[in-house]
Amino acid sequence: MVVGAFPVAKLGGLVLKQISKPIANILKERAKNSHFFRTYVCMPPAQFYNWCEVKAKMWVMNLGRPVNIPSLNETMAIELGANLLGEGIIFSIAAAILFLEYSRQVRKETAKESARKEEMDTLNYTIRELYFQAERQDAQIRELMRTLCELESHVTKKPKKCIVDGDVHMHEEEPPVFEGGLLMEAIEYLHKEHRKR
C-alpha cells in the first residue's frame, strides 16, 4: 500500500506546484494593480521574511548584530510576498489533504476496532450461552439419573405372585436388566406416569 501511495503523493505534490504557479502569478498581478492587496497582503510578509533571513545569515556567519536591516524595494517585496503567499497556499492545501487522510484513517481504524469488539462480544455471549446450556443439560442429566435410580429401586424389588400348591404366595424377584427387563420396565413405568398426568 505504501509503495503504491508514494508515486501518487509525488504526483499530488507536482499537481499542487503546478496549480500554485498560476495562483502566484494572479496574486502578483493583483498586487501590482491593487493598493490594498499590495500594502497589506504581499509586502508585510515579504519584509518580515527579509528581516528574518538577514538576521539568520548574520548569526550563522558570526558577523555580529546588524544595526540597520534595509527593507526590500516595492517590486522585490511584491514578488517575494506573492511567492510566499503561493507557497502558503500550497502548504495549506497539503496540510488539509494530510489532515483529511489522517481523519479518514482514524475513522477506518475506529470502525475496524468497533467491528472487532462487536465480534468479541458476540463470541463471549455465545460462549456464555453454551456454558449455561451445558449447565442446564448437566442438571437435567443428574435429574434423569436420580429418577432412573429411583425407578430402579422400585422395579428391582417388585413382588411377584406365584401359585404354589394352590396357594397364592408373594415373593420378590430381581428382573433381568437387559432383554426387556429393568430398562423396559422403567420405560413402561415412565409411560404410565405420563398417562396419569
Side-chain angles (χ1 to χ4, degrees):
M1 176 93 179
V2 176
V3 176
F6 182 71
V8 173
K10 271 181 122 176
L11 183 64
L14 270 169
V15 167
L16 285 176
K17 282 186 179 181
Q18 292 302 319
I19 290 173
S20 71
K21 286 180 184 177
I23 292 174
N25 290 335
I26 291 169
L27 291 177
K28 286 177 197 174
E29 291 302 317
R30 285 200 66 174
K32 289 176 186 173
N33 298 333
S34 169
H35 177 71
F36 175 81
F37 199 73
R38 178 175 55 237
T39 307
Y40 297 109
V41 176
C42 283
M43 289 180 68
Q47 296 295 352
F48 179 71
Y49 178 79
N50 180 51
W51 181 81
C52 290
E53 185 181 28
V54 170
K55 283 268 195 188
K57 283 182 181 176
M58 296 291 276
W59 181 75
V60 168
M61 293 183 201
N62 202 12
L63 297 175
R65 292 185 170 196
V67 179
N68 189 11
I69 298 173
S71 59
L72 295 172
N73 62 23
E74 189 175 332
T75 308
M76 289 178 66
I78 291 169
E79 181 93 17
L80 182 60
N83 287 338
L84 286 173
L85 195 56
E87 292 296 324
I89 289 170
I90 291 171
F91 179 77
S92 301
I93 292 171
I97 289 171
L98 188 65
F99 176 75
L100 291 173
E101 180 64 26
Y102 175 75
S103 62
R104 187 184 70 82
Q105 288 293 332
V106 166
R107 281 195 307 271
K108 185 177 176 183
E109 287 297 319
T110 303
K112 191 185 291 185
E113 182 66 25
S114 174
R116 191 189 68 76
K117 187 177 183 296
E118 186 177 331
E119 183 180 357
M120 289 297 291
D121 289 346
T122 304
L123 287 174
N124 284 337
Y125 177 76
T126 305
I127 289 170
R128 256 186 271 122
E129 284 297 314
L130 288 173
Y131 173 75
F132 290 137
Q133 185 179 3
E135 287 294 318
R136 281 192 301 271
Q137 288 175 348
D138 189 40
Q140 289 172 349
I141 288 171
R142 281 195 303 260
E143 179 66 24
L144 287 172
M145 291 299 290
R146 187 187 62 75
T147 306
L148 184 62
C149 287
E150 186 180 302
L151 288 173
E152 192 175 83
S153 68
H154 282 54
V155 172
T156 307
K157 307 271 181 170
K158 180 181 173 188
K160 185 177 179 186
K161 289 183 185 178
C162 290
I163 300 174
V164 179
D165 299 329
D167 295 329
V168 177
H169 296 286
M170 301 291 281
H171 67 87
E172 294 180 359
E173 174 188 277
E174 298 221 359
V177 176
F178 299 104
E179 298 177 3
L182 177 62
L183 292 178
M184 289 306 292
E185 288 183 20
I187 292 171
E188 288 174 14
Y189 178 78
L190 285 174
H191 280 296
K192 287 178 189 175
E193 288 293 317
H194 182 67
R195 285 184 199 140
K196 287 180 186 176
R197 293 180 189 169

